[in-house]
Amino acid sequence: MHRKPDGSWDKSNLPSRHVTEGPSRAPHRSYYYAMGLRSREIAQPFVGVASCWNEAAPCNTALMRQAHAVSEGVKAAGATPREFCTITVTDGIAMGHEGMRSSLVSREVIADSVELTMRGHSYDALVGVAGCDKSLPGMMMAMLRLNVPSVFLYGGSILPGCWRGKEVTVQDVFEGVGQHSAGAMSEADLRDLEQHACPGDGACGGQYTANTMACVSEAIGLALPLSSALPAPYEDRDAYARASGEAVVRLIEQNIRPRDICTRKAFENAAVVVAATGGSTNGGLHLPAMAHECGIEFTLRDFAQIAARTPYIADLKPGGRFVAKAMGEAGGVPMLLKTLLEGGHLHGDCMTVTGKTLAENLAEVTWRDDQEVIRPVSNPLSPTGGVVGLWGTLAPDGAIVKVAGLSHTRHRGPARVFDGEEACFEAVERGDYKEGDVLVIRYEGPRGGPGMREMLSTTAAIYGQGMGDKVALITDGRFSGATRGLCIGHVGPEAQAGGPIALIKDGDIIAIDAEAGTIDIEVDPVELEHRKHHWSARRTNYNSGALWKFAQAVGPAHKGAVTHPGQAAETHVYADI
């Protein structure tokens, strides 16, 4: 306990003692006086309140408001908030061009910048407020790396748009591009759609990457129950922000840290929730990266094994009917967790940021028959999870595909090979592909891209042309959570590392079976070895700057595409400096 009986704090074991205690820290304290703090506030624990606020996209624009509310909660609980911002690269705007190379890299920059701010100023605890695809795992990675008492808060989803009497999301706009190129939508209609799809603040409204990782934050125990349910524009969200600020101060008192919460069992719970919601395949990238921060070996294979035994029960876009707002109204993540726990799919004894276990948090949650979004585990949409891992001669290190709502789960056909997404997108726009093809986009992996771009522009265009269930697409890059169709990502080893995907030629037969979990290239191994002998890695255009640095350090996708040794190499933990 750091709180004394009189309500004051004992900071002898808190990081902020290095900047606030004793005569030698008078210069340090002078800066805090300059910002309006007084002696009592300087003597309290310092809580970093990190947000990814910016004006890059609507997923970030409501975060500052919520960060201020977090600070109110921290103050009310007797600690001192210190707000700061970090970056976001927003996939919806980065998609389909060179900007997407910065997306996955931003996850590392977010984690690194939060770590550096916390270390540099010796803050004692952290509340992270994030709203966009990479900012959620990036913020949680920082919490696990620092291991100071921490609470995560999702900034909330966007409300659905309304176009011609139906709910729409940005996915419909991406698919509208394909409809337009196929002559099925006029440019005037496409412009009208784009002006109605995104009505205000919040992250993309289906079970895409942001909402998938928001569900993870509750399931893994780092966020307060139900805190991800309300859409971003609802100012009722601010109550969860204040409660998150109060909760982190209790965690300081109780000395409950992220690594006490995010155990192996907690990561298994998180994988269950990704699978049960038909969540983004990016969950198979971010969970291994988060686990790496706290010394837990949790790879794509671990993720896939859990998905294979998890029922798919949340009827959410893009494979299903409902948007994130509807899931919140149906009871949100606690309702989902309740039926999964009762069905024996979760570990109920995992600690959470409430100071209670997952099972204790869910004790008062009652099942609601008046909602259609979340099925009971006894009546799933599918008996196995919404995401599947694949292994075989084309992907010895594995690959991943979202099968939620997908009927086209087997495919065998000739390869059409493209070195980079732009070449494939141009072919799709021209209609220069045919039914049965397997479109191969390579040199888009973590190192080869560099940056492991998402391919939503291409996959959405294929769907918009009515070919979504007639072709397959594979890549060593990634797919957006809004992608649907037989689209296989994370193929490893990547092309830049000389994996089999680098050796494919046009016309090679590729066989995919998402039910059996296999992906194979039907080429004689001797021929592949001959091709390998004549292969050499490709030189990218990114030979300086942040993308170059990322490419030098990044590891394989099946281990999370991480850029440092993680907990395994630690000789100290920041929280104990």
Side-chain angles (χ1 to χ4, degrees):
M1 294 286 286
H2 298 290
R3 186 93 77 161
K4 298 176 184 177
D6 64 0
S8 64
W9 290 88
D10 175 7
K11 297 180 75 170
S12 59
N13 290 310
L14 292 178
S16 65
R17 73 187 187 278
H18 295 295
V19 297
T20 65
E21 302 297 295
S24 66
R25 299 312 184 217
H28 306 65
R29 291 192 295 270
S30 72
Y31 285 114
Y32 289 111
Y33 286 117
M35 291 183 283
L37 299 188
R38 291 296 173 256
S39 299
R40 179 180 60 82
E41 294 159 313
I42 296 171
Q44 295 176 159
F46 283 179
V47 177
V49 180
S51 81
C52 297
W53 177 88
N54 55 55
E55 293 182 331
C59 30
N60 309 308
T61 46
L63 301 183
M64 186 71 78
R65 183 196 87 221
Q66 295 177 64
H68 291 339
V70 169
S71 292
E72 292 172 10
V74 171
K75 290 177 183 177
T80 302
R82 298 285 83 197
E83 291 187 25
F84 63 95
C85 290
T86 185
I87 68 157
T88 313
V89 173
T90 297
D91 291 0
I93 289 177
M95 195 73 68
H97 57 90
E98 292 292 295
M100 180 49 75
R101 300 195 193 283
S102 300
S103 173
L104 183 59
V105 182
S106 76
R107 185 190 73 180
E108 306 307 300
V109 173
I110 290 163
D112 291 353
S113 62
V114 173
E115 176 196 0
L116 292 173
T117 300
M118 295 286 292
R119 281 187 183 275
H121 305 104
S122 297
Y123 295 158
D124 301 311
L126 173 63
V127 179
V129 189
C132 207
D133 294 1
K134 306 308 164 302
S135 59
L136 281 81
M139 195 67 76
M140 289 186 276
M141 287 163 65
M143 293 173 176
L144 292 163
R145 186 184 302 176
L146 294 161
N147 204 32
V148 291
S150 301
V151 176
F152 178 83
L153 178 66
Y154 179 43
S157 69
I158 199 169
L159 292 169
C162 183
W163 188 64
R164 298 185 177 174
K166 71 168 187 172
E167 286 190 347
V168 291
T169 71
V170 71
Q171 176 193 346
D172 297 281
V173 187
F174 275 103
E175 293 183 5
V177 173
Q179 293 169 14
H180 172 64
S181 68
M185 179 180 283
S186 69
E187 186 172 356
D189 284 350
L190 182 59
R191 285 190 175 277
D192 192 38
L193 172 60
E194 76 184 50
Q195 291 172 19
H196 290 86
C198 300
D201 293 335
C204 297
Q207 193 63 350
Y208 315 148
T209 305
N211 281 304
T212 297
M213 296 309 295
C215 292
V216 162
S217 72
E218 288 194 43
I220 208 166
L222 287 175
L224 293 177
L226 210 58
S227 61
S228 62
L230 292 173
Y234 290 13
E235 293 193 2
D236 289 353
R237 284 198 61 79
D238 295 1
Y240 285 98
R242 284 188 288 273
S244 297
E246 293 168 357
V248 83
V249 180
R250 290 195 298 272
L251 294 177
I252 299 171
E253 292 182 293
Q254 298 165 4
N255 197 28
I256 296 174
R257 301 180 179 186
R259 294 183 189 177
D260 301 323
I261 292 168
C262 294
T263 60
R264 170 78 192 199
K265 287 182 177 180
F267 278 97
E268 291 175 1
N269 286 347
V272 165
V273 164
V274 175
T277 59
S280 170
T281 53
N282 284 312
L285 186 73
H286 299 322
L287 287 177
M290 289 167 59
H292 178 73
E293 299 287 356
C294 49
I296 295 170
E297 183 79 7
F298 192 82
T299 66
L300 176 63
R301 189 176 290 276
D302 297 309
F303 177 86
Q305 288 173 345
I306 292 165
R309 60 177 187 258
T310 300
Y312 165 41
I313 60 173
D315 194 359
L316 297 166
K317 289 179 179 289
R321 296 180 290 162
F322 297 102
V323 295
K325 172 178 175 286
M327 180 167 168
E329 292 168 346
V333 176
M335 182 70 67
L336 177 86
L337 295 175
K338 182 74 170 183
T339 188
L340 288 168
L341 180 65
E342 290 179 345
H345 296 283
L346 294 175
H347 304 288
D349 58 346
C350 292
M351 178 57 64
T352 74
V353 292
T354 65
K356 300 177 181 178
T357 65
L358 185 75
E360 288 170 339
N361 288 343
L362 299 173
E364 303 301 317
V365 176
T366 56
W367 180 259
R368 284 175 41 196
D369 287 320
D370 65 336
Q371 56 84 30
E372 300 179 61
V373 183
I374 304 166
R375 300 274 194 100
V377 291
S378 57
N379 182 30
L381 291 156
S382 167
T384 57
V387 288
V388 169
L390 308 174
W391 280 264
T393 53
L394 185 52
D397 287 346
I400 193 167
V401 60
K402 178 187 281 195
V403 295
L406 190 65
S407 57
H408 178 214
T409 56
R410 291 190 179 97
H411 190 99
R412 182 177 178 274
R416 283 287 310 281
V417 183
F418 302 92
D419 289 349
E421 186 195 14
E422 284 83 359
C424 185
F425 183 76
E426 289 168 9
V428 169
E429 282 256 284
R430 296 193 306 269
D432 184 16
Y433 67 106
K434 61 182 185 297
E435 185 173 333
D437 280 351
V438 178
L439 307 180
V440 178
I441 303 177
R442 65 188 178 192
Y443 292 105
E444 291 287 8
R447 278 201 283 150
M452 204 178 183
R453 288 193 292 179
E454 290 183 349
M455 309 291 161
L456 179 60
S457 291
T458 301
T459 60
I462 291 168
Y463 238 92
Q465 293 177 356
M467 293 287 280
D469 59 351
K470 298 177 175 62
V471 297
L473 196 155
I474 68 171
T475 181
D476 53 4
R478 300 180 295 127
F479 290 113
S480 164
T483 292
R484 53 181 176 155
L486 191 56
C487 298
I488 294 135
H490 306 198
V491 170
E494 63 171 292
Q496 190 74 358
I501 193 171
L503 311 177
I504 303 172
K505 292 183 176 180
D506 283 342
D508 288 347
I509 299 300
I510 295 171
I512 302 158
D513 189 336
E515 294 182 27
T518 58
I519 179 168
D520 292 295
I521 178 171
E522 296 181 1
V523 174
D524 189 289
V526 175
E527 168 63 15
L528 285 180
E529 194 60 38
H530 173 73
R531 295 180 189 177
K532 181 69 176 285
H533 182 72
H534 294 280
W535 170 87
S536 60
R538 193 179 67 150
R539 182 175 172 83
T540 78
N541 287 328
Y542 296 91
N543 299 301
S544 66
L547 296 182
W548 178 86
K549 286 193 286 187
F550 178 83
Q552 307 315 301
V554 70
H558 72 285
K559 292 185 176 180
V562 296
T563 57
H564 69 109
Q567 187 273 344
E570 282 180 358
T571 54
H572 89 284
V573 178
Y574 163 75
D576 295 323
I577 59 171

